[in-house]
Amino acid sequence: MELLERVAVLLALLYVLLAIKEHRSCWLAGGLSAAIYALVFWRVDLLMEAALQLFYIAMAIYGWRAWGADNSQKTLQIQRWPWRNHATALGAVVGGAWIIGGLMSTYTSAAMPFIDTGTTLAALITTWMVARKVLANWIYWILIDAVSIYLYLNRGLDLTAALFGAYILLAAAGYLQW
């Protein structure tokens, strides 16, 4: 399991570094990392995180297409969201975490179901924001990554927790780069 986690971490770092540079191949690294992490998270009972990886694989395909074949032209431009979009996103995360987290705590063996669900739902929205090149995605990632560090340390995924610490720094760099 530790070897799988290491490979997933390396591919995940490559994904973020390439995304900061707006390089289309980030989606290949992200999709491969997600496939490996699906297994890793399933094995430590982070069921929503495991399910999230399936979404990441689908978003890798979507992002690959959305960012276009000719990356030198950067066909998709960086955009900003109005405040109502952020309010809607926050409401969806909080409401969804309350409902789905409650179901997960009642009907599954999921570890930390409310936090797991909240970070998962936030990551769903934020990954879509990356694919659409919404600037605020980087700020969302900083918050998600900070909470995720606690989640992963709790489940003994120290290397993944360290990755998410690095993600916080990379997200800040991404925001400044974009």
Side-chain angles (χ1 to χ4, degrees), residues 118-134:
T119 57
T120 297
L121 293 175
L124 291 172
I125 292 167
T126 307
T127 302
W128 182 82
M129 291 169 68
V130 174
R132 300 305 309 154
K133 290 191 178 179
V134 176

Side-chain angles (χ1 to χ4, degrees), residues 49-154:
E49 291 291 322
L52 175 62
Q53 303 312 304
L54 301 177
F55 174 78
Y56 284 159
I57 293 167
M59 287 305 297
I61 295 166
Y62 175 79
W64 176 264
R65 294 187 64 178
W67 284 28
D70 184 3
N71 196 52
S72 65
Q73 293 179 7
K74 296 188 179 163
T75 55
L76 188 61
Q77 298 300 311
I78 295 168
Q79 58 183 304
R80 294 177 187 266
W81 263 8
W83 282 106
R84 72 175 182 277
N85 289 24
H86 296 291
T88 301
L90 179 61
V93 169
V94 171
W98 182 72
I99 293 167
I100 298 169
L103 292 171
M104 296 288 289
S105 69
T106 302
Y107 298 109
T108 73
S109 63
M112 306 181 76
F114 291 97
I115 296 173
D116 186 14
T117 301
T119 57
T120 297
L121 293 175
L124 291 172
I125 292 167
T126 307
T127 302
W128 182 82
M129 291 169 68
V130 174
R132 300 305 309 154
K133 290 191 178 179
V134 176
L135 179 62
N137 87 80
W138 299 108
I139 296 169
Y140 280 53
W141 282 127
I142 290 169
L143 298 172
I144 294 165
D145 296 341
V147 174
S148 294
I149 290 169
Y150 170 72
L151 183 68
Y152 299 140
L153 286 174
N154 179 272

